[in-house]
């Protein structure tokens, strides 16, 4: 409570007038100053405001449980994480699963596999679909995070969170997508249904890979902020917004294959706008994000 | 030239009287014609024909085949140009064309046609013109569409010739004009029939000119009275009728018939269409007729049998059957009342008999090839009269009167024109005789066919029946109905044969005989030829063909149309249909007879009739002469008349003969066309009859099936009746059963009622019992109650008794106490003195006590205050402590969370380690597996020896000494194995393993030396050693080792290091793949593996 008093009393009004993110950095700093970080508050903050990029990795790490809420144990835990990473890295080296020339993403995948006990007997074994998802996310994450160890832990925890926390809700997303699309643009939905494209939309790319490889990293970060803070519904709204943005082109296409192909390779120029619109849409449909956690 | 000569010879031999030579020559010519394609032979033949008028040459020329036609036409064209040879050329052309050669279509392109037209336009010779016109008329139907380009030429020719007929510019004999007129009339018919629109427009334009008006009035208008309106005038147009499509479907004879259809002239007309329309109507009506075959059959037999009954009756009965017939018959039936004979004339059989035209065309050429007129003249002699055929059908004399009636009623109308001619012809009768021969021959054929067909209808009533008797005695009156058909075929045969045979005299006689019976009935009137022959020569004028008589006769011949020609054949083949057909025919003719009669009364005579009459007159005159002279030959006639007649007249007569011949040939051509058409129509009729038969058969089948259906219906009805019976029975039984059921139900109800009554009674009884019981209970209660009351009362009684006793006792006490009280009152009055002092003393004592108590209270309150303060103090302290506790708790929580976070990280790390070891384990096992496989054989051998050793070793591990010894042993072995192992590891294993092994060696050695000096080794020293050597696998191996030795001995921490060391060494040596060491080390490996297994077992 004492921290709150330090905050600018105008900050509440900035938002009402339409200035977003003026006081955010400050308030986040205040939040991060707490020893024993309040994860709930961080979640709410992350849902409500875009994260400043300088704190993003830290917040993600905290939210994903890579580092504990206590500042003093951060160094120790990170040391452990580092050691664990290198141990597994070394083991994989020993059993010749990786070598120095192995791409970083593959290294991550192997480490993750070993950690989850799913390491195949041989390198030659084909990749599972979940491995593909991991690779896609890892590739995107690699762009965002410089440190390989941090990157690995973020990817691993992110994927674990998706698989454990959001597993059930991820399956519901296509239905919800149809529902919101019906509200937003009935005609487009009719067209998609007429083309029988509803079942062939790139759901894997959108919901399992969380748009990794679909959106550029700068936009993707903002989506993932919300996902990591616990709302996977944002994915639906991003998908809806993509469909709405490229509505004219989709309507011009007649076959499900063409539509799918187009959606898998959407142009990357105005994705920031798409994500902003999607966040707005998400807010209007799901109310205050704090309650939708 | 040799050939030329040869041809000349052949030509000279052509008319050889010897038959054999004739045939040879003809064959030679034909061969030549086939071989030679040049025009020479044809030219020669034409020349020869024109010179000699040879029949053989004509025959050859008229049968010329395709390649020669051009030469022939060229040649004819050439001769056509010359006036001298024009006439024979035309007749040759006529002969050729009438043959209808296969190249006839080329005629329209040939220059010959042009020259013919030119000739017709310019020539002034009547004979040539007439012949040319006839040729043209013959040619027109053959080239209907190609001839259209000359249409205006045709019309021009018509205009010229019609004008000629009237004006007679050449001032030729009128007798020629008659012929010309007839030809023009034929041309008119042909043109009007073929190109009505064009022709009418021509007429309109041509005769609208004033100078032509007279011609129109005199010549064309009468002609137009003999045609009906052509349908094409209504539906067609000028262009349409010239359309090739119109003509494509039509053959030559079709065109001829088309033309004949529009004619009203009975001599020309064909009533085919009329027949069709009527017959169609009759077909429908005849169905009704057919439904009652027995009746109609009866009637027909009656009519054919007709011995006594007049025809009218069966006809009338017949007429009442079909719906349409009464109407048709009504006028006739009116006439019937006046002259019933007239009706009989039109009996179907009579009509049938009269109608059939001569014979098949096959006979025609043979006839014509014969020396023409001889048989005709004979026939003429025999038949003579014209009117007789009419009379023949009559059974009784009245025919004569009927003839008379006809004669009388009609001559006034049209008798005049022929008279004019007759007047001019009176001196020519001898010449006329020849001409008449043609006409007569025609009529003869008609009559003979008459005779033929009188028979088929049974003819028992007719004179022919008698004729048959006289001819062949075999035919008796005993002819049954069935045999009429047979009789027909039998009788018709001799007749036709006798007539067709030209040669023998006997045959010539037979017709005479045949016809005499015909004449006989008529003889009474003196009109018959027999009568003529007998000498009534003066009657020629009466006998001369009256205008109405000829039509009457013609009407019979032509009016009935062509189809009946083969009717007698139908009668043989299809008796039933034939009857129907005959019936139809009758109605039709009846109608027509009426119509034509009316027509005849009004219309003028046609040129053909005039010509006919002319011929007849000539024939009559000739007959007269012949009868007078009774001379067989013509030449005799002339000699008898007194030398040779003047050459001019001879010329005229010859020309007339020629013209007549032409006319005859033209008529014959027409007849051929008709015959062709007849055959086609016959085929249609036969088909139709076959279909009708088929229909009849189908109807029979239908009837049979209907009968079957009826039978089935009957049986169905029976079955239904039986079913009804069964149903009734069943219903009866059901009703019975129902009544039984009802009765039983009734009984049951009664019983039920009874039982209910009883039950109610039972209930009542029960109720009563219950009531009684209740009463009993009540009574019992009352009894009990009273008993209780009784006991109570008795008790009360005893109580009251005791109370009375007590009362008495108390009363006594009261008395005693009263006395005591009185006594005490007396004592109290005595005492009441000195109590105040004592009270004061008591007050003072109490005051002092109060003070003391107050002091004490003050003291207590002070103490309370102090203690309260102390409590507050302590409470604050407690709160502080609580707060401290809370803080401590929070902190603890914090620390816990912090620890948990760290612990989580550590745990994850630990898990990762576990995974790593698992992965390593997997890898190791994999490698072991590979090793085992390669050294399976040796292992098996060593197993036995090493197993014992291993067992011992394991046992020795129990105490420390043994361990030490063992370790020594192993160390020694290690020392032994070291060099190869290091070598092997360095060589085989690259990267980390080689790095790892290098520091290991000195450590091991150091360790072994240390092991010798001191038995106990510090775990702290060994631990880093192992960690240094194998950092990541250390914990795993330690764990494994612990597991290994846990069961066998109470393993100590220091031992652990030893075993770990040993194990790691073993692993190292195992990993190196030195074949020399393999056997020994593998046993150790084996042992370890076995140990692992054991530990696993123990675990599990």
């Amino acid at each position: 409570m004492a921290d709150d008093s330090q905050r600018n009393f105008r900050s509440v009004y900035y938002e009402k007038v339409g200035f977003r993110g003026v006081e955010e950095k400050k308030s986040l700093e205040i939040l991060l100053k707490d020893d024993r970080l309040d994860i709930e508050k961080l979640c709410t903050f992350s849902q409500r405001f875009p994260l400043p990029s300088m704190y993003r990795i830290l917040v993600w790490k905290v939210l994903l449980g890579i580092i504990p809420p206590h500042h003093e144990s951060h160094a120790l835990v990170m040391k452990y994480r580092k050691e664990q990473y290198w141990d597994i890295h070394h083991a994989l080296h020993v059993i010749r699963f990786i070598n120095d020339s192995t791409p970083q993403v593959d290294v991550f995948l192997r480490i993750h596999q070993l950690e989850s006990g799913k390491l195949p007997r041989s390198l030659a074994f084909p990749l599972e679909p979940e491995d593909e998802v991991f690779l896609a996310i890892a590739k995107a994450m690699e762009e965002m995070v410089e440190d390989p160890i941090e990157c690995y832990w973020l990817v691993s925890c992110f994927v674990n969170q998706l698989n454990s926390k959001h597993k059930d809700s991820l399956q519901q997303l296509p239905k919800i997508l149809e529902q919101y699309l019906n509200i937003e643009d009935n005609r487009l939905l009719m067209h998609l249904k007429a083309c029988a494209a509803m079942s062939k939309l790139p759901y894997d790319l959108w919901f399992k890979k969380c748009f990794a490889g679909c959106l550029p990293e700068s936009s993707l970060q903002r989506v993932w902020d919300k996902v990591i803070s616990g709302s996977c519904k944002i994915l639906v709204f991003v998908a809806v917004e993509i469909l709405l943005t490229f509505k004219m082109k989709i309507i011009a296409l007649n076959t499900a294959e063409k539509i799918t192909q187009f959606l898998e390779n959407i142009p990357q120029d105005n994705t920031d706008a798409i994500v902003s619109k999607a966040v707005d849409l998400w807010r209007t449909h799901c109310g205050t994000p704090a309650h939708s956690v | 030239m040799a050939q030329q000569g040869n041809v000349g010879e052949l030509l000279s031999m052509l008319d050889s009287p010897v038959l054999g030579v004739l045939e040879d020559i003809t064959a030679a010519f034909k061969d030549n014609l086939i071989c030679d394609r040049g025009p020479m032979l044809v030219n020669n033949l034409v020349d020869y024909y024109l010179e000699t008028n040879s029949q053989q040459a004509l025959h050859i020329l008229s049968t010329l085949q395709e390649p020669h036609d051009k030469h022939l036409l060229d040649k004819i064209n050439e001769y056509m140009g010359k006036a001298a040879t024009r006439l024979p050329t035309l007749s040759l052309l006529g002969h050729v064309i009438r043959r209808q050669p296969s190249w006839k279509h080329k005629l329209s392109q040939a220059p010959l046609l042009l020259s013919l037209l030119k000739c017709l336009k310019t020539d002034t010779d009547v004979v040539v013109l007439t012949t040319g016109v006839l040729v043209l008329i013959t040619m027109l139907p053959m080239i209907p569409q190609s001839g259209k380009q000359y249409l205006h030429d045709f019309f021009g020719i018509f205009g010229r010739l019609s004008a000629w007929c009237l004006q007679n510019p050449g001032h030729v004999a009128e007798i020629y004009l008659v012929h010309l007129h007839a030809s023009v009339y034929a041309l008119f018919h042909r043109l009007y029939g073929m190109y009505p629109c064009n022709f009418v427009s021509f007429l309109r334009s041509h005769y609208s000119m004033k100078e032509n008006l007279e011609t129109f009035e005199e010549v064309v208008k009468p002609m137009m009275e003999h045609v009906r309106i052509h349908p094409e005038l209504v539906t067609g147009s000028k262009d349409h009728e010239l359309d090739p499509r119109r003509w494509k479907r039509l053959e030559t004879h079709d065109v001829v018939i088309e033309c004949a259809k529009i004619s009203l002239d009975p001599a020309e007309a064909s009533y085919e269409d009329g027949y069709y329309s009527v017959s169609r109507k009759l077909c429908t009506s005849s169905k009704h007729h057919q439904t009652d075959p027995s009746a109609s059959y009866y009637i027909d037999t009656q009519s054919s049998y007709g011995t006594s009954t007049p025809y009218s009756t069966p006809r009338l009965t017949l007429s009442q059957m079909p719906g349409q017939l009464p109407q048709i018959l009504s006028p006739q039936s009116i006439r019937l009342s006046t002259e019933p004979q007239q009706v009989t004339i039109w009996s179907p059989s009579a009509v049938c008999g009269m109608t059939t035209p001569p014979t098949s065309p096959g006979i025609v050429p043979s006839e014509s090839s014969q020396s023409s007129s001889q048989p005709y003249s004979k026939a003429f002699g025999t038949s003579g009269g014209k009117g007789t055929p009419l009379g023949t059908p009559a059974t009784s004399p009245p025919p004569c009167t009927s003839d008379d009636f006809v004669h009388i009623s009609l001559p006034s109308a049209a008798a005049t024109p022929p008279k004019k001619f007759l007047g001019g012809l009176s001196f020519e009768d001898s010449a006329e005789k020849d001409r008449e021969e043609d006409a007569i021959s025609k009529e003869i054929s008609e009559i003979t066919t008459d005779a033929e067909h009188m028979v088929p209808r049974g003819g028992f009533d007719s004179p022919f029946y008698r004729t048959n008797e006289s001819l062949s005695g075999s035919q008796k009156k005993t002819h049954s109905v069935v045999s009429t058909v047979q009789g027909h075929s039998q009788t018709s045969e001799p007749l036709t044969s006798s007539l067709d045979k030209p040669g023998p005299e006997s045959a010539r006689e037979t017709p005479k005989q045949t016809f005499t019976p015909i004449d006989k009935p008529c003889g009474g009137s003196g009109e018959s030829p027999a009568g003529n022959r007998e000498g009534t020569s003066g009657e020629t004028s009466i006998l001369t063909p009256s205008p109405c008589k000829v039509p009457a006769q013609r009407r019979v011949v032509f009016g009935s149309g062509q189809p009946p020609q083969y009717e007698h054949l139908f009668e043989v083949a299809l008796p039933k249909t034939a009857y129907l057909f005959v019936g139809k025919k009758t109605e039709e003719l009846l109608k027509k007879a009426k119509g034509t009669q009316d027509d005849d009364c009004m219309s003028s005579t046609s040129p053909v009739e005039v010509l006919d009459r002319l011929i007849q007159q000539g024939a009559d005159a000739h007959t007269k002469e012949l009868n007078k002279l009774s001379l067989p030959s013509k030449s005799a006639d002339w000699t008898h008349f007194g030398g040779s007649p003047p050459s001019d007249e001879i010329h005229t007569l010859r020309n007339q003969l020629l013209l007549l011949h032409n006319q005859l040939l033209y008529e014959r051509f027409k007849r051929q066309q008709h015959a062709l058409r007849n055959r086609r129509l016959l085929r249609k009729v036969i088909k139709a009859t076959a279909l009708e038969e088929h229909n009849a058969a189908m109807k029979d089948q239908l009837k049979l099936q209907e009968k079957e259906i009826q039978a089935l219906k009957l049986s169905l009805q029976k079955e239904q009746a039986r079913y009804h019976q069964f149903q009734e029975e069943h219903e009866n039984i059901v009703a019975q059963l129902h009544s039984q059921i009802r009765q039983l139900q009734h009984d049951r109800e009664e019983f039920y009622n009874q039982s209910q009554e009883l039950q109610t009674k039972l209930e009542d009884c029960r109720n009563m019992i219950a009531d009684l019981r209740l009463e009993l209970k009540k009574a019992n209660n009352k009894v009990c109650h009273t008993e209780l009351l009784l006991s109570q009362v008795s008790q009360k009684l005893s109580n009251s008794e005791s109370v009375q006793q007590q009362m008495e006792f108390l009363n006594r006490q009261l008395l005693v106490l009263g006395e005591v009280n009185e006594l005490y009152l007396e004592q109290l009055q005595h005492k009441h003195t000195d109590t105040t002092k004592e009270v004061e003393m008591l007050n003072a004592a109490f005051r002092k006590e109060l003070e003391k108590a107050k002091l004490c209270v003050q003291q207590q309150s002070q103490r309370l205050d102090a203690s309260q303060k102390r409590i507050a103090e302590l409470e604050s302290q407690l709160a502080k402590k609580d707060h401290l506790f809370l803080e401590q708790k929070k902190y603890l929580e914090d620390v816990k969370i912090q620890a948990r976070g760290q612990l989580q990280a550590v745990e994850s790390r630990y898990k990762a380690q576990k995974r790593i070891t698992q992965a390593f384990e997997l890898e190791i096992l994999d490698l072991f597996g590979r090793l085992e496989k390669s050294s399976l054989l040796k292992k098996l051998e060593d197993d036995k020896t090493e197993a014992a050793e291993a067992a011992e070793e394991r046992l020795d591990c129990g105490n420390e000494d043994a361990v030490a010894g063992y370790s020594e042993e192993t160390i020694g072995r290690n020392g032994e194995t070291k060099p190869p192992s290091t070598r092997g590891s360095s060589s085989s294993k690259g990267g980390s393993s080689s790095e790892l092994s290098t520091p290991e060696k000195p450590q091991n050695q150091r360790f072994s030396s240390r092991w010798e000096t001191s038995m106990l080794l510090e775990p702290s020293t060994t631990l880093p050693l192992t960690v240094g050597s194998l950092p990541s696998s250390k914990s795993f191996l330690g764990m494994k080792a612990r597991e290994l030795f846990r069961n066998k001995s109470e393993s100590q921490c220091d031992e652990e290091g030893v075993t770990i060391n040993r194990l790691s060494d073993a692993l190292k040596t195992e990993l190196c793949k030195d074949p020399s060491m393999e056997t020994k080390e593998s046993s150790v490996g084996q042992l370890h593996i076995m140990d692992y297994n054991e530990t696993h077992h123990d675990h599990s």
Side-chain angles (χ1 to χ4, degrees), chain B residues 80-97:
Chain B
M80 190 79 89
K82 298 167 191 168
T85 52
R86 198 169 280 163
L87 187 60
T89 314
L90 275 174
S91 67
L92 172 63
L93 181 61
H95 279 295
V96 171
I97 285 169

Side-chain angles (χ1 to χ4, degrees), chain B residues 224-507:
Chain B
M224 287 174 75
E225 280 169 17
H226 288 281
V227 289
R228 58 175 89 176
I229 288 183
H230 200 291
E232 286 284 329
L233 286 174
V234 180
T235 59
S237 66
K238 272 189 184 180
D239 295 331
H240 176 250
E241 69 189 16
L242 296 177
D243 192 359
R245 272 175 295 176
R246 184 187 166 207
W247 301 109
K248 212 168 260 179
R249 293 180 290 106
L250 300 174
E251 289 173 43
T252 308
H253 63 89
D254 285 323
V255 178
V256 171
I257 298 298
E258 282 284 310
C259 296
K261 270 181 194 170
I262 51 103
S263 173
L264 286 171
D265 188 349
E268 284 277 342
S270 157
Y271 292 106
E272 233 175 56
D273 46 349
Y275 155 67
Y276 277 130
S277 61
V278 175
S279 69
R280 224 170 278 140
K281 276 186 230 159
L282 282 166
C283 272
T284 51
S285 62
S286 69
K287 277 177 191 165
H288 177 67
H289 187 77
Q290 223 173 10
T291 49
D292 199 352
S294 58
S296 69
Y297 181 71
Y298 169 71
I299 288 156
D300 280 337
T301 47
Q302 256 201 340
S303 65
S304 61
Y305 208 78
T307 45
S308 57
T309 47
Y311 277 102
S312 55
T313 41
R315 278 299 131 210
L316 278 173
T317 49
L318 180 69
S319 70
Q320 279 155 5
M321 290 184 182
Q324 272 184 311
L325 293 186
Q327 289 177 342
I328 301 161
L329 277 174
S330 56
Q332 194 236 335
S333 56
I334 295 159
R335 239 175 23 181
L336 244 172
S337 58
T338 54
E339 349 162 69
Q341 291 78 21
Q342 198 72 11
V343 181
T344 56
I345 290 168
W346 302 109
S347 73
S349 46
V351 170
C352 293
M354 303 285 267
T355 48
T356 322
T359 47
S360 66
I363 303 164
V364 178
S366 68
E367 267 185 336
S368 64
S369 64
Q370 285 158 3
S371 53
S372 63
S373 58
Q374 267 190 338
Y376 297 146
S377 62
K378 285 161 201 163
F380 172 66
T382 55
S383 59
K386 302 263 85 82
T388 44
L390 266 178
T392 45
T395 44
S396 49
C400 305
T401 56
S402 78
D403 269 2
D404 283 343
F405 166 76
V406 175
H407 280 262
I408 292 155
S409 59
L410 297 171
S412 60
T416 39
K419 267 179 191 165
K420 182 175 137 198
F421 289 111
L422 285 172
L425 284 169
S426 57
F427 62 93
E428 296 175 346
D429 52 0
S430 60
E432 209 176 291
K433 193 169 64 182
D434 287 343
R435 189 157 48 98
E436 278 170 358
E437 275 174 7
D438 285 350
I440 286 161
S441 69
K442 196 160 73 184
E443 288 192 16
I444 276 290
S445 63
E446 284 163 13
I447 292 160
T448 47
T449 49
D450 270 4
E452 266 177 58
H453 294 288
M454 293 303 273
V455 184
R457 116 256 205 221
F460 298 114
D461 51 334
S462 73
F464 273 106
Y465 183 57
R466 272 165 272 162
T467 320
N468 292 338
E469 275 186 308
S470 69
L471 266 173
S472 53
S474 60
Q475 265 107 4
K476 298 295 175 190
K477 285 186 180 177
T478 52
H479 278 304
S480 65
V481 178
V482 185
S483 69
T484 50
V485 176
Q486 292 172 335
H488 147 69
S489 60
Q490 283 171 353
T491 51
S492 65
E493 236 177 299
L495 273 172
T496 46
S497 62
S498 64
L499 281 167
D500 287 342
K501 268 183 249 164
E505 281 289 313
S506 60

Side-chain angles (χ1 to χ4, degrees), chain A residues 35-36 68-70 72-73 76-77 80-81 83-84 87-88 90-91 94-95 114-117 119 121 153, chain B residues 893-895 897-898 901-902 904-906 908-913 915-916 918-920 922-923 926 992 1032:
Chain A
D35 192 37
R36 204 181 152 228
H70 291 278
E72 51 194 54
S73 55
L76 183 71
V77 169
Y80 286 154
R81 301 287 188 205
E83 277 172 6
Q84 185 180 339
D87 284 349
I88 297 171
H90 175 76
V94 169
I95 59 174
L114 187 105
E115 223 177 348
S116 52
L119 194 68
R121 284 298 296 126
W153 280 107
Chain B
E893 200 85 350
D894 231 26
V895 170
I897 290 163
Q898 191 181 345
Q902 286 175 0
Q904 266 175 0
V906 172
S908 77
R909 214 176 124 198
Y910 164 69
K911 268 181 197 162
Q913 291 290 358
R915 296 288 180 203
I916 290 164
Q918 271 175 4
F920 277 140
L922 216 63
E923 194 71 18
D926 191 27
S992 64
S1032 56

Side-chain angles (χ1 to χ4, degrees), chain B residues 864-894:
Chain B
L864 188 71
D865 280 349
S867 62
Q868 264 174 349
K869 267 177 193 166
R870 174 82 185 145
I871 283 165
E873 216 170 287
L874 285 174
E875 264 176 1
S876 69
Q877 270 183 357
L878 194 68
K880 266 182 196 168
K881 283 248 165 97
D882 276 351
H883 192 65
L884 206 70
F885 275 140
L886 272 176
E887 268 185 1
Q888 285 290 330
K889 263 183 193 168
K890 231 185 215 169
Y891 182 68
L892 199 65
E893 200 85 350
D894 231 26

Side-chain angles (χ1 to χ4, degrees), chain B residues 487-549:
Chain B
H488 147 69
S489 60
Q490 283 171 353
T491 51
S492 65
E493 236 177 299
L495 273 172
T496 46
S497 62
S498 64
L499 281 167
D500 287 342
K501 268 183 249 164
E505 281 289 313
S506 60
R508 219 183 304 158
E509 284 305 316
T510 33
K512 250 185 216 170
Q513 276 188 323
T514 332
F515 289 113
T516 39
I518 310 171
D519 298 336
K520 263 174 194 168
C522 315
S525 67
E527 223 184 75
S528 69
N532 286 341
R533 227 185 309 165
E534 274 158 21
T536 54
S537 56
E539 280 186 16
T540 38
S541 61
I542 307 164
L543 274 172
T544 48
S546 66
C548 77
K549 194 178 176 182

